[in-house]
Amino acid sequence: MHRLITLSFSHYNEKARWALDRFSVPYREEPYVPFFCSMAVAVATRGRGGTADRTSSRYSTPVLLLDDGRVLTDSTDIARFAAGSDDSLFPNDEVESLVDHYGDQLGPYTRMLAYWHALRHPGMIEQLAADNVSPRQAWLFRTLMPLARSNLKRFVNLTEASRDKAMVRIREEFDATAARLEQSDYLYGDYFTAADLTFAALASPVLCTTSEEGYGAVLPSRDALDSEGAELVEEMRAHPAGRFALRMYAEERRRVLRIR
Ligand SMILES: N[C@@H](CCC(=O)N[C@@H](CS)C(=O)NCC(=O)O)C(=O)O
């Protein structure tokens, strides 16, 4: 069976999981927390990793280890592999460029805001670990977290200025997406494509999409956020683009049993 190494709660990983689930590709997910996921990738790829891009290192997740020995180290490559000969997910260059655009221009900012809120609340990131990985790994993460906290902040570039920029960029992306949706129920054409999947997955950290709504891992509960975090999530959920993302989950995120 194919092995999917993930940073379990990450939205880029959710994008890969969604595509694999949608096309009923059998795989076993090996879920990790930050740092441990990079070590798992280094081990699984014998130190080679993949290709670093503007938003990630070469040890980033998701990584799909195929039965035949091939290794896919990018969520878009994994989604393309999942779709196989079905060209409805990636019908053309316009969809490809929307996927790349959201990967570059939305994903890094929703991730930054999610970490901003998670790291402000003592215990929140440790709870995320407890909700998403094995008790042993969660315990180890909790034990090492005091040392890892500042590295994580530096890694995601968490400062007030970057938080403010992230907020501006997310609102711009949501507004542009909503404008696009005035023409159609989908981001391209009149059917579901990888552009819709990518937007919905990468918007999830600011929507706190729940597993009941279809997210393939556990994100922080809205009740656990402070007023600033809760207001942000309410604003994004009420936005036409946020409502669209939640609709894509309701209508298009087919969950199949995953073996862990
Ligand atoms: N372009 C990559 C981005 C993936 C990415 O940024 N993954 C993050 C999780 S949100 C990660 O693993 N970061 C750790 C690292 O880059 O070392 C993709 O879409 O697969």
Side-chain angles (χ1 to χ4, degrees):
M1 173 149 349
H2 308 315
R3 294 166 55 202
L4 183 69
I5 299 178
T6 63
L7 168 52
S8 58
F9 47 79
S10 142
H11 52 350
Y12 289 104
N13 291 257
E14 167 66 359
K15 175 181 155 195
R17 258 191 318 248
W18 185 342
L20 291 166
D21 290 346
R22 182 175 180 85
F23 291 96
S24 304
V25 178
Y27 66 99
R28 177 176 284 111
E29 181 174 355
E30 297 175 13
Y32 290 94
V33 289
F35 303 119
F36 295 6
C37 59
S38 308
M39 286 189 264
V41 170
V43 170
T45 60
R46 301 204 180 90
R48 283 192 296 271
T51 313
D53 60 24
R54 203 179 68 81
T55 62
S56 61
S57 79
R58 70 194 171 104
Y59 299 113
S60 76
T61 55
V63 168
L64 185 65
L65 304 158
L66 297 175
D67 280 348
D68 63 9
R70 280 177 297 155
V71 181
L72 304 179
T73 58
D74 181 81
S75 60
T76 302
D77 293 342
I78 296 171
R80 246 191 241 111
F81 164 79
S85 58
D86 182 328
D87 59 8
S88 65
L89 202 65
F90 289 95
N92 57 30
D93 290 350
E94 190 174 342
V95 168
E96 300 264 354
S97 64
L98 280 168
V99 168
D100 290 347
H101 175 84
Y102 289 128
D104 279 355
Q105 302 297 328
L106 180 66
Y109 299 114
T110 52
R111 171 172 60 196
M112 181 177 294
L113 274 198
Y115 275 116
W116 172 266
H117 287 284
L119 289 171
R120 261 155 50 114
H121 294 277
M124 187 179 273
I125 192 141
E126 291 84 351
Q127 182 60 45
L128 266 184
D131 289 338
N132 285 291
V133 298
S134 69
R136 214 161 70 128
Q137 191 187 152
W139 173 82
L140 199 56
F141 183 66
R142 201 169 57 242
T143 309
L144 296 175
M145 197 48 206
L147 298 171
R149 189 171 280 270
S150 57
N151 277 332
L152 198 52
K153 283 187 172 166
R154 210 170 322 116
F155 187 74
V156 198
N157 185 23
L158 280 190
T159 61
E160 292 209 354
S162 55
R163 185 268 322 256
D164 292 346
K165 179 176 174 203
M167 209 48 257
V168 170
R169 290 293 299 113
I170 292 168
R171 288 197 176 106
E172 284 171 356
E173 287 303 324
F174 268 51
D175 288 348
T177 300
R180 214 179 156 92
L181 289 166
E182 281 168 15
Q183 320 301 323
S184 166
D185 288 343
Y186 298 92
L187 289 170
Y188 170 81
D190 58 0
Y191 57 97
F192 182 79
T193 68
D196 306 303
L197 185 157
T198 301
F199 177 79
L202 299 189
S204 283
V206 293
L207 303 172
C208 286
T209 314
T210 65
S211 2
E212 290 73 27
E213 288 168 324
Y215 198 81
V218 180
L219 291 177
S221 143
R222 278 185 277 161
D223 304 337
L225 299 173
D226 63 11
S227 57
E228 184 189 319
E231 273 167 33
L232 166 74
V233 173
E234 287 321 309
E235 175 193 334
M236 293 303 158
R237 281 184 161 249
H239 193 288
R243 290 206 306 273
F244 165 74
L246 295 171
R247 180 169 68 79
M248 290 301 99
Y249 266 95
E251 294 176 0
E252 304 288 346
R253 176 76 164 104
R254 307 254 180 278
R255 300 293 311 284
V256 295
L257 186 64
R258 285 182 293 116
I259 304 164
R260 289 199 159 167

